[in-house]
Amino acid sequence: MRVLVVEDEEAIAGAIERGLVKQGYDVDVARDGAEALEMAAETNYDVICLDLNLPRVDGIEVCRRLREDRFSGGIIMLTARSSIRERIEGLDQGADDYLVKPFAFSELAARIRAITRREGSMREPVIETRGLELDPNTNRCRREGKDIHLTPKEFALLYYLARNEGRAVPQEELLENIWDEHANPFTQTVKVHMNNLRRKLNEGFEEQLIETIRGKGYVL
C-alpha cells in the first residue's frame, strides 16, 4: 500500500511518515502542491494525505487536478481550517475525507484503512491478453512475465485499449475518457503518450503491440 503525504510543515510530515511506515505502508513525502502533482503523475498511490494550505499550488487545486487527471485513489484533506464552507469545497473537488488539525495519528490511520477497504470493494478486473497482464488496481503492467513501469496516464491508455481489443479507438475518444471532454482535440498529447507507451511496451519484443490505423485510431 503506497501513500503520499503532502505537507509543508516538516515536523508534521515526519511524524505522519514515521507512523505510517511503522504500520507497513510505503510512504513518499511532498513539500508543496506542485511537487505532489509531479509525484502523482509518476507513481500510482493508493491514498494521498493532502494538506490544504500548501506553497505553490494549494491543496484544493491539487485535489481538483488529481481528479481531473483521473486519480482514482483516496484523498484525505488535512487542514487547520475548520469552516464548513472549506470542508464542502474540498469534498466537492474530489476529497474522500477531511481531518482537522490537530488530530491523533490513530484517527488518520483508521481513516486510511476505511478508504482502502472501500476501494477494495470496487476493484476493477485484471485483463490478460496478447501476453499482457494489466492490473488497474495497482497500475501494474507485465508482458510475458516482465514488469513494465508505466506512468498512470500510459497505463490508463493501455488499459482502455485492452478493454476495446480489436477495435480502432479514435484519438477523440481517448481524450474524452482518459483526459476529459474539454481536452483540445488538436493537441499532440495522445500521440506523445502513445509513442512513450509503445517504446516501453515493445522494447525487447519482436511483436510490436498497438497499431495506428490512419483515419480511425489506435488498436491493440
Side-chain angles (χ1 to χ4, degrees), residues 33-65:
E35 185 181 16
L37 290 168
E38 291 172 4
M39 294 172 72
E42 293 297 324
T43 303
N44 185 50
Y45 293 103
D46 298 286
V47 176
I48 295 180
C49 299
L50 180 62
D51 185 35
L52 189 61
N53 190 24
L54 292 169
R56 299 175 69 189
V57 183
D58 69 38
I60 294 290
E61 179 63 13
V62 170
C63 185
R64 186 190 68 78
R65 292 191 200 177

Side-chain angles (χ1 to χ4, degrees), residues 90-212:
L91 294 169
D92 283 345
Q93 293 300 329
D96 296 284
D97 206 346
Y98 226 102
L99 204 52
V100 177
K101 300 175 183 176
F103 54 81
F105 173 79
S106 57
E107 183 177 3
L108 174 61
R111 295 193 185 208
I112 291 174
R113 290 194 298 271
I115 285 177
T116 53
R117 280 197 304 270
R118 185 163 67 243
E119 289 178 346
S121 67
M122 299 183 289
R123 295 178 71 86
E124 295 186 73
V126 175
I127 292 179
E128 296 184 14
T129 184
R130 304 288 299 276
L132 295 170
E133 180 182 330
L134 307 174
D135 185 347
N137 305 293
T138 59
N139 275 20
R140 184 178 186 182
C141 171
R142 304 185 75 189
R143 182 174 181 187
E144 305 295 348
K146 175 187 175 183
D147 282 314
I148 300 173
H149 175 72
L150 302 177
T151 67
K153 272 289 190 291
E154 290 165 354
F155 185 91
L157 279 170
L158 181 57
Y159 191 77
Y160 193 86
L161 291 177
R163 290 179 61 184
N164 293 273
E165 183 181 2
R167 178 174 75 86
V169 181
Q171 172 178 288
E172 294 78 10
E173 183 177 336
L174 292 172
L175 281 170
E176 181 176 345
N177 285 277
I178 307 302
W179 280 266
D180 62 57
E181 68 275 12
H182 303 299
N184 182 357
F186 301 106
T187 184
Q188 294 294 305
T189 296
V190 173
K191 184 177 180 181
V192 170
H193 279 79
M194 198 64 73
N195 287 342
N196 289 335
L197 174 59
R198 280 180 172 137
R199 176 178 53 80
K200 293 180 180 180
L201 203 58
N202 293 322
E203 186 176 3
F205 293 94
E206 184 175 345
E207 183 185 8
Q208 301 295 289
L209 300 180
I210 307 180
E211 179 183 358
T212 300

Side-chain angles (χ1 to χ4, degrees), residues 58-78:
D58 69 38
I60 294 290
E61 179 63 13
V62 170
C63 185
R64 186 190 68 78
R65 292 191 200 177
L66 286 170
R67 293 310 188 197
E68 188 177 75
D69 288 341
R70 309 287 174 157
F71 174 72
S72 59
I75 298 176
I76 301 176
M77 286 282 196
L78 310 176

